Amino acid sequence: QGLKPIVSTDSPALIFGTTSKLSSDLPATDSFLGKNKVPDLQKLFQKADGLPVHLKRGVPDKLLYRTTMALTIGGTIYCLVALYMASQPRNQ
């Protein structure tokens, strides 16, 4: 006779087996896609002008870089001051 399986051997129904929209149902050009900017950005970033990649886009990149550096240096100085103050014994 053998043992009867406890769990059914039928496969469960697929939950995510079908998509809600087929790709053929979508229009060829959607307004949300916009213009492909990748070739323009590739030209910009591959230009040999001596600038690092994180500064190639001009003023916004320089502003973000300098803000990040200022916050990093300020945070480091703050941590060192806090460590110095914590290492000093308190007077009673």
Side-chain angles (χ1 to χ4, degrees), residues 66-90:
R66 290 179 180 162
T67 303
T68 303
M69 285 296 110
L71 288 172
T72 303
I73 292 169
T76 302
I77 292 171
Y78 178 76
C79 287
L80 291 173
V81 168
L83 268 170
Y84 176 75
M85 291 174 59
S87 68
Q88 300 299 316
R90 294 188 180 217

PDB file of all heavy atoms in Angstrom, residues 66-90:
ATOM      1  N   ARG A  66      31.234  70.785  -2.139  1.00  0.00           N
ATOM      2  CA  ARG A  66      31.732  71.644  -1.064  1.00  0.00           C
ATOM      3  C   ARG A  66      30.863  71.561   0.180  1.00  0.00           C
ATOM      4  O   ARG A  66      31.375  71.604   1.305  1.00  0.00           O
ATOM      5  CB  ARG A  66      31.839  73.083  -1.566  1.00  0.00           C
ATOM      6  CG  ARG A  66      32.970  73.228  -2.568  1.00  0.00           C
ATOM      7  CD  ARG A  66      33.100  74.619  -3.094  1.00  0.00           C
ATOM      8  NE  ARG A  66      34.213  74.677  -4.051  1.00  0.00           N
ATOM      9  CZ  ARG A  66      34.371  75.640  -4.920  1.00  0.00           C
ATOM     10  NH1 ARG A  66      33.508  76.635  -4.969  1.00  0.00           N
ATOM     11  NH2 ARG A  66      35.394  75.615  -5.749  1.00  0.00           N
ATOM     12  N   THR A  67      29.547  71.425   0.004  1.00  0.00           N
ATOM     13  CA  THR A  67      28.653  71.263   1.156  1.00  0.00           C
ATOM     14  C   THR A  67      28.959  69.957   1.883  1.00  0.00           C
ATOM     15  O   THR A  67      29.037  69.924   3.123  1.00  0.00           O
ATOM     16  CB  THR A  67      27.187  71.285   0.700  1.00  0.00           C
ATOM     17  OG1 THR A  67      26.935  72.510   0.014  1.00  0.00           O
ATOM     18  CG2 THR A  67      26.241  71.143   1.867  1.00  0.00           C
ATOM     19  N   THR A  68      29.161  68.893   1.131  1.00  0.00           N
ATOM     20  CA  THR A  68      29.482  67.603   1.731  1.00  0.00           C
ATOM     21  C   THR A  68      30.811  67.660   2.479  1.00  0.00           C
ATOM     22  O   THR A  68      30.928  67.157   3.605  1.00  0.00           O
ATOM     23  CB  THR A  68      29.540  66.512   0.645  1.00  0.00           C
ATOM     24  OG1 THR A  68      28.300  66.482  -0.044  1.00  0.00           O
ATOM     25  CG2 THR A  68      29.826  65.150   1.249  1.00  0.00           C
ATOM     26  N   MET A  69      31.811  68.288   1.875  1.00  0.00           N
ATOM     27  CA  MET A  69      33.116  68.403   2.531  1.00  0.00           C
ATOM     28  C   MET A  69      33.016  69.252   3.800  1.00  0.00           C
ATOM     29  O   MET A  69      33.603  68.910   4.835  1.00  0.00           O
ATOM     30  CB  MET A  69      34.147  69.016   1.584  1.00  0.00           C
ATOM     31  CG  MET A  69      34.641  68.070   0.531  1.00  0.00           C
ATOM     32  SD  MET A  69      35.543  66.686   1.237  1.00  0.00           S
ATOM     33  CE  MET A  69      34.428  65.364   0.929  1.00  0.00           C
ATOM     34  N   ALA A  70      32.261  70.360   3.748  1.00  0.00           N
ATOM     35  CA  ALA A  70      32.113  71.210   4.932  1.00  0.00           C
ATOM     36  C   ALA A  70      31.421  70.456   6.058  1.00  0.00           C
ATOM     37  O   ALA A  70      31.837  70.531   7.229  1.00  0.00           O
ATOM     38  CB  ALA A  70      31.334  72.472   4.576  1.00  0.00           C
ATOM     39  N   LEU A  71      30.360  69.707   5.746  1.00  0.00           N
ATOM     40  CA  LEU A  71      29.662  68.935   6.775  1.00  0.00           C
ATOM     41  C   LEU A  71      30.557  67.830   7.341  1.00  0.00           C
ATOM     42  O   LEU A  71      30.523  67.560   8.549  1.00  0.00           O
ATOM     43  CB  LEU A  71      28.371  68.345   6.204  1.00  0.00           C
ATOM     44  CG  LEU A  71      27.251  69.348   5.951  1.00  0.00           C
ATOM     45  CD1 LEU A  71      26.107  68.671   5.202  1.00  0.00           C
ATOM     46  CD2 LEU A  71      26.751  69.924   7.253  1.00  0.00           C
ATOM     47  N   THR A  72      31.346  67.208   6.492  1.00  0.00           N
ATOM     48  CA  THR A  72      32.241  66.146   6.953  1.00  0.00           C
ATOM     49  C   THR A  72      33.318  66.700   7.886  1.00  0.00           C
ATOM     50  O   THR A  72      33.570  66.144   8.966  1.00  0.00           O
ATOM     51  CB  THR A  72      32.898  65.452   5.750  1.00  0.00           C
ATOM     52  OG1 THR A  72      31.865  64.947   4.902  1.00  0.00           O
ATOM     53  CG2 THR A  72      33.798  64.326   6.184  1.00  0.00           C
ATOM     54  N   ILE A  73      33.944  67.793   7.480  1.00  0.00           N
ATOM     55  CA  ILE A  73      34.987  68.387   8.314  1.00  0.00           C
ATOM     56  C   ILE A  73      34.400  68.937   9.605  1.00  0.00           C
ATOM     57  O   ILE A  73      34.955  68.750  10.697  1.00  0.00           O
ATOM     58  CB  ILE A  73      35.742  69.474   7.517  1.00  0.00           C
ATOM     59  CG1 ILE A  73      36.542  68.805   6.399  1.00  0.00           C
ATOM     60  CG2 ILE A  73      36.648  70.294   8.411  1.00  0.00           C
ATOM     61  CD1 ILE A  73      37.112  69.762   5.378  1.00  0.00           C
ATOM     62  N   GLY A  74      33.248  69.600   9.504  1.00  0.00           N
ATOM     63  CA  GLY A  74      32.584  70.108  10.708  1.00  0.00           C
ATOM     64  C   GLY A  74      32.190  68.997  11.663  1.00  0.00           C
ATOM     65  O   GLY A  74      32.365  69.119  12.889  1.00  0.00           O
ATOM     66  N   GLY A  75      31.684  67.898  11.150  1.00  0.00           N
ATOM     67  CA  GLY A  75      31.317  66.767  11.993  1.00  0.00           C
ATOM     68  C   GLY A  75      32.518  66.130  12.652  1.00  0.00           C
ATOM     69  O   GLY A  75      32.464  65.708  13.816  1.00  0.00           O
ATOM     70  N   THR A  76      33.624  66.054  11.920  1.00  0.00           N
ATOM     71  CA  THR A  76      34.847  65.490  12.488  1.00  0.00           C
ATOM     72  C   THR A  76      35.362  66.362  13.630  1.00  0.00           C
ATOM     73  O   THR A  76      35.726  65.857  14.697  1.00  0.00           O
ATOM     74  CB  THR A  76      35.922  65.349  11.397  1.00  0.00           C
ATOM     75  OG1 THR A  76      35.406  64.529  10.351  1.00  0.00           O
ATOM     76  CG2 THR A  76      37.188  64.745  11.954  1.00  0.00           C
ATOM     77  N   ILE A  77      35.374  67.680  13.409  1.00  0.00           N
ATOM     78  CA  ILE A  77      35.827  68.596  14.461  1.00  0.00           C
ATOM     79  C   ILE A  77      34.903  68.506  15.675  1.00  0.00           C
ATOM     80  O   ILE A  77      35.369  68.458  16.828  1.00  0.00           O
ATOM     81  CB  ILE A  77      35.921  70.032  13.916  1.00  0.00           C
ATOM     82  CG1 ILE A  77      37.057  70.121  12.901  1.00  0.00           C
ATOM     83  CG2 ILE A  77      36.100  71.044  15.033  1.00  0.00           C
ATOM     84  CD1 ILE A  77      37.114  71.423  12.134  1.00  0.00           C
ATOM     85  N   TYR A  78      33.597  68.438  15.444  1.00  0.00           N
ATOM     86  CA  TYR A  78      32.640  68.324  16.549  1.00  0.00           C
ATOM     87  C   TYR A  78      32.881  67.040  17.347  1.00  0.00           C
ATOM     88  O   TYR A  78      32.853  67.058  18.581  1.00  0.00           O
ATOM     89  CB  TYR A  78      31.210  68.353  16.005  1.00  0.00           C
ATOM     90  CG  TYR A  78      30.163  68.186  17.069  1.00  0.00           C
ATOM     91  CD1 TYR A  78      29.832  69.237  17.917  1.00  0.00           C
ATOM     92  CD2 TYR A  78      29.511  66.969  17.237  1.00  0.00           C
ATOM     93  CE1 TYR A  78      28.884  69.084  18.897  1.00  0.00           C
ATOM     94  CE2 TYR A  78      28.550  66.806  18.225  1.00  0.00           C
ATOM     95  CZ  TYR A  78      28.238  67.866  19.052  1.00  0.00           C
ATOM     96  OH  TYR A  78      27.307  67.718  20.031  1.00  0.00           O
ATOM     97  N   CYS A  79      33.128  65.930  16.652  1.00  0.00           N
ATOM     98  CA  CYS A  79      33.385  64.661  17.348  1.00  0.00           C
ATOM     99  C   CYS A  79      34.669  64.728  18.163  1.00  0.00           C
ATOM    100  O   CYS A  79      34.727  64.209  19.290  1.00  0.00           O
ATOM    101  CB  CYS A  79      33.462  63.512  16.346  1.00  0.00           C
ATOM    102  SG  CYS A  79      31.863  63.054  15.683  1.00  0.00           S
ATOM    103  N   LEU A  80      35.708  65.356  17.609  1.00  0.00           N
ATOM    104  CA  LEU A  80      36.967  65.471  18.350  1.00  0.00           C
ATOM    105  C   LEU A  80      36.805  66.346  19.590  1.00  0.00           C
ATOM    106  O   LEU A  80      37.342  66.020  20.662  1.00  0.00           O
ATOM    107  CB  LEU A  80      38.063  66.024  17.441  1.00  0.00           C
ATOM    108  CG  LEU A  80      38.532  65.077  16.332  1.00  0.00           C
ATOM    109  CD1 LEU A  80      39.496  65.793  15.391  1.00  0.00           C
ATOM    110  CD2 LEU A  80      39.150  63.827  16.915  1.00  0.00           C
ATOM    111  N   VAL A  81      36.065  67.448  19.481  1.00  0.00           N
ATOM    112  CA  VAL A  81      35.813  68.308  20.644  1.00  0.00           C
ATOM    113  C   VAL A  81      35.006  67.552  21.692  1.00  0.00           C
ATOM    114  O   VAL A  81      35.295  67.616  22.894  1.00  0.00           O
ATOM    115  CB  VAL A  81      35.112  69.610  20.211  1.00  0.00           C
ATOM    116  CG1 VAL A  81      34.590  70.385  21.404  1.00  0.00           C
ATOM    117  CG2 VAL A  81      36.056  70.469  19.395  1.00  0.00           C
ATOM    118  N   ALA A  82      33.980  66.808  21.248  1.00  0.00           N
ATOM    119  CA  ALA A  82      33.169  66.040  22.195  1.00  0.00           C
ATOM    120  C   ALA A  82      34.011  64.971  22.886  1.00  0.00           C
ATOM    121  O   ALA A  82      33.850  64.730  24.092  1.00  0.00           O
ATOM    122  CB  ALA A  82      31.978  65.408  21.469  1.00  0.00           C
ATOM    123  N   LEU A  83      34.902  64.322  22.155  1.00  0.00           N
ATOM    124  CA  LEU A  83      35.791  63.330  22.768  1.00  0.00           C
ATOM    125  C   LEU A  83      36.731  63.981  23.776  1.00  0.00           C
ATOM    126  O   LEU A  83      36.975  63.435  24.855  1.00  0.00           O
ATOM    127  CB  LEU A  83      36.620  62.628  21.687  1.00  0.00           C
ATOM    128  CG  LEU A  83      36.033  61.356  21.127  1.00  0.00           C
ATOM    129  CD1 LEU A  83      36.810  60.903  19.902  1.00  0.00           C
ATOM    130  CD2 LEU A  83      36.038  60.274  22.174  1.00  0.00           C
ATOM    131  N   TYR A  84      37.271  65.147  23.434  1.00  0.00           N
ATOM    132  CA  TYR A  84      38.163  65.847  24.352  1.00  0.00           C
ATOM    133  C   TYR A  84      37.421  66.233  25.631  1.00  0.00           C
ATOM    134  O   TYR A  84      37.937  66.053  26.739  1.00  0.00           O
ATOM    135  CB  TYR A  84      38.736  67.090  23.675  1.00  0.00           C
ATOM    136  CG  TYR A  84      39.590  67.922  24.602  1.00  0.00           C
ATOM    137  CD1 TYR A  84      40.866  67.506  24.949  1.00  0.00           C
ATOM    138  CD2 TYR A  84      39.103  69.101  25.147  1.00  0.00           C
ATOM    139  CE1 TYR A  84      41.653  68.257  25.812  1.00  0.00           C
ATOM    140  CE2 TYR A  84      39.874  69.860  26.009  1.00  0.00           C
ATOM    141  CZ  TYR A  84      41.143  69.437  26.340  1.00  0.00           C
ATOM    142  OH  TYR A  84      41.900  70.171  27.197  1.00  0.00           O
ATOM    143  N   MET A  85      36.205  66.763  25.487  1.00  0.00           N
ATOM    144  CA  MET A  85      35.430  67.164  26.671  1.00  0.00           C
ATOM    145  C   MET A  85      35.046  65.951  27.519  1.00  0.00           C
ATOM    146  O   MET A  85      35.028  66.025  28.745  1.00  0.00           O
ATOM    147  CB  MET A  85      34.181  67.935  26.247  1.00  0.00           C
ATOM    148  CG  MET A  85      34.520  69.309  25.671  1.00  0.00           C
ATOM    149  SD  MET A  85      33.097  70.187  25.002  1.00  0.00           S
ATOM    150  CE  MET A  85      32.047  70.304  26.429  1.00  0.00           C
ATOM    151  N   ALA A  86      34.770  64.823  26.870  1.00  0.00           N
ATOM    152  CA  ALA A  86      34.393  63.621  27.622  1.00  0.00           C
ATOM    153  C   ALA A  86      35.595  63.009  28.334  1.00  0.00           C
ATOM    154  O   ALA A  86      35.428  62.303  29.345  1.00  0.00           O
ATOM    155  CB  ALA A  86      33.772  62.593  26.686  1.00  0.00           C
ATOM    156  N   SER A  87      36.795  63.279  27.842  1.00  0.00           N
ATOM    157  CA  SER A  87      37.972  62.674  28.462  1.00  0.00           C
ATOM    158  C   SER A  87      38.460  63.470  29.684  1.00  0.00           C
ATOM    159  O   SER A  87      39.278  62.950  30.439  1.00  0.00           O
ATOM    160  CB  SER A  87      39.103  62.560  27.443  1.00  0.00           C
ATOM    161  OG  SER A  87      39.575  63.844  27.096  1.00  0.00           O
ATOM    162  N   GLN A  88      38.022  64.684  29.863  1.00  0.00           N
ATOM    163  CA  GLN A  88      38.441  65.510  30.993  1.00  0.00           C
ATOM    164  C   GLN A  88      37.641  65.156  32.235  1.00  0.00           C
ATOM    165  O   GLN A  88      36.421  64.989  32.162  1.00  0.00           O
ATOM    166  CB  GLN A  88      38.258  66.997  30.675  1.00  0.00           C
ATOM    167  CG  GLN A  88      39.070  67.467  29.460  1.00  0.00           C
ATOM    168  CD  GLN A  88      40.549  67.290  29.676  1.00  0.00           C
ATOM    169  OE1 GLN A  88      41.068  67.610  30.734  1.00  0.00           O
ATOM    170  NE2 GLN A  88      41.213  66.768  28.639  1.00  0.00           N
ATOM    171  N   PRO A  89      38.309  65.042  33.368  1.00  0.00           N
ATOM    172  CA  PRO A  89      37.571  64.763  34.614  1.00  0.00           C
ATOM    173  C   PRO A  89      36.750  65.993  35.034  1.00  0.00           C
ATOM    174  O   PRO A  89      37.125  67.136  34.763  1.00  0.00           O
ATOM    175  CB  PRO A  89      38.667  64.456  35.627  1.00  0.00           C
ATOM    176  CG  PRO A  89      39.884  65.112  35.094  1.00  0.00           C
ATOM    177  CD  PRO A  89      39.740  65.132  33.602  1.00  0.00           C
ATOM    178  N   ARG A  90      35.632  65.726  35.689  1.00  0.00           N
ATOM    179  CA  ARG A  90      34.780  66.824  36.142  1.00  0.00           C
ATOM    180  C   ARG A  90      35.261  67.330  37.496  1.00  0.00           C
ATOM    181  O   ARG A  90      35.623  66.555  38.373  1.00  0.00           O
ATOM    182  CB  ARG A  90      33.326  66.349  36.285  1.00  0.00           C
ATOM    183  CG  ARG A  90      32.744  65.984  34.945  1.00  0.00           C
ATOM    184  CD  ARG A  90      31.286  65.702  35.061  1.00  0.00           C
ATOM    185  NE  ARG A  90      30.784  65.349  33.745  1.00  0.00           N
ATOM    186  CZ  ARG A  90      29.614  65.699  33.309  1.00  0.00           C
ATOM    187  NH1 ARG A  90      28.789  66.353  34.071  1.00  0.00           N
ATOM    188  NH2 ARG A  90      29.231  65.370  32.109  1.00  0.00           N
TER     189      ARG A  90
END
